[in-house]
Amino acid sequence: MITMLLFCITVYQFYSCFIIGALLVLPPKNIHTLEQLLASNLKMSIEEVAYNRDYFNRTKRPIILQLYERKILPNEYGFVNVSLGTALVKQGGHAFHCDTSYVNTWIMETFTDYEICELQEIELYPIRPLHMVLPKGSPLKEPFRVSIRLMMDTGLLQYYRRRFFLKRPPCSTDSFSTVQVGFGDVASLYLLLTFGLAMSFIVLAVEVIEFRVRMYLIDKKLHKFGWID
């Protein structure tokens, strides 16, 4: 009885510590390449802008074409706006391709610190330099060049970049952060504890019955031989 009770308490302590530890530790980030993303069970969406559709229609990269055919085309949320895309990522099990410069605003407003720490970025295609489109021989070429250079030299360009294009929010979990543990997370633990207690009482009852039967047989045998009056 005592051995079974100690065993149940030990299993209870180990199992509870294991669950709490698993919930407190951030899950490992194992997806670092497009190949790993393709092999994962994550669904994928693309920001609904013209240059994204043009890129997937024109690209010749095999991995991009496989992503498009296997994860985007069969998905009802293949092309969505930023608000819906970030909401799908927040729900979990979803990847969303977009311009990270302005999606960080949505992340800061809707994601918790723990969810921000779970985010991971993968580069779908490298950043391409943009140019101002002007007719050949346009007299506006030089004024535009001088104006842009002046904005860069005075810091105005950097100011507006910092104001309108936020960096990715830092992971700021600390020792005061809490993790909610629902009853569903520990239900099996209580079932195991209840089963252990029930088995303990059953074993106790069997031992008591066996002891009483054995003592009864011994007393009966002693009376038979006249050793006890």
Side-chain angles (χ1 to χ4, degrees):
M1 172 63 181
I2 297 178
T3 303
M4 183 65 71
L5 182 60
L6 291 176
F7 174 75
C8 293
I9 294 176
T10 303
V11 173
Y12 172 81
Q13 292 292 338
F14 170 78
Y15 196 34
S16 59
C17 293
F18 176 79
I19 291 178
I20 299 301
L23 291 174
L24 291 178
V25 176
L26 289 175
K29 300 178 180 180
N30 299 324
I31 301 178
H32 302 283
T33 63
L34 295 177
E35 288 77 11
Q36 292 174 342
L37 176 61
L38 179 63
S40 69
N41 57 355
L42 294 178
K43 296 181 180 180
M44 185 175 176
S45 299
I46 304 295
E47 183 186 3
E48 179 62 278
V49 289
Y51 58 80
N52 278 335
R53 288 187 176 272
D54 179 73
Y55 175 77
F56 283 99
N57 290 331
R58 293 175 179 270
T59 184
K60 302 299 182 182
R61 294 177 60 187
I63 184 62
I64 301 298
L65 294 176
Q66 293 180 38
L67 281 172
Y68 184 68
E69 294 173 358
R70 293 170 53 180
K71 287 189 174 291
I72 300 175
L73 287 180
N75 187 5
E76 60 176 328
Y77 300 108
F79 288 88
V80 296
N81 55 33
V82 175
S83 59
L84 180 56
T86 52
L88 293 173
V89 173
K90 183 179 175 64
Q91 293 176 5
H94 208 96
F96 180 54
H97 170 69
C98 62
D99 191 337
T100 57
S101 58
Y102 51 80
V103 77
N104 291 327
T105 304
W106 292 88
I107 293 175
M108 293 183 63
E109 293 177 352
T110 59
F111 281 57
T112 64
D113 290 339
Y114 186 81
E115 291 170 340
I116 290 175
C117 293
E118 288 184 314
L119 293 177
Q120 187 175 0
E121 294 182 7
I122 301 177
E123 189 178 76
L124 185 63
Y125 53 80
I127 299 176
R128 294 173 292 181
L130 301 179
H131 304 276
M132 187 169 293
V133 180
L134 294 173
K136 186 176 181 180
S138 173
L140 298 177
K141 178 180 179 180
E142 187 64 19
F144 273 122
R145 188 187 68 81
V146 173
S147 299
I148 294 176
R149 175 58 63 180
L150 183 62
M151 293 173 62
M152 295 178 62
D153 292 341
T154 57
L156 190 61
L157 195 62
Q158 290 77 5
Y159 167 76
Y160 282 111
R161 182 180 289 115
R162 289 194 303 268
R163 180 174 180 180
F164 295 107
F165 299 96
L166 298 178
K167 294 182 179 180
R168 177 180 174 178
C171 177
S172 58
T173 56
D174 50 39
S175 58
F176 297 100
S177 60
T178 58
V179 178
Q180 295 182 356
V181 181
F183 180 76
D185 298 325
V186 295
S188 57
L189 173 61
Y190 288 108
L191 290 176
L192 179 62
L193 181 61
T194 304
F195 175 77
L197 292 175
M199 289 298 299
S200 299
F201 284 111
I202 292 175
V203 172
L204 175 62
V206 171
E207 289 180 351
V208 171
I209 294 174
E210 188 272 339
F211 175 77
R212 291 182 178 275
V213 171
R214 182 159 49 86
M215 294 303 298
Y216 172 77
L217 294 177
I218 292 175
D219 291 342
K220 186 176 181 180
K221 184 181 296 185
L222 293 177
H223 280 292
K224 180 179 180 181
F225 289 100
W227 292 352
I228 298 179
D229 294 332

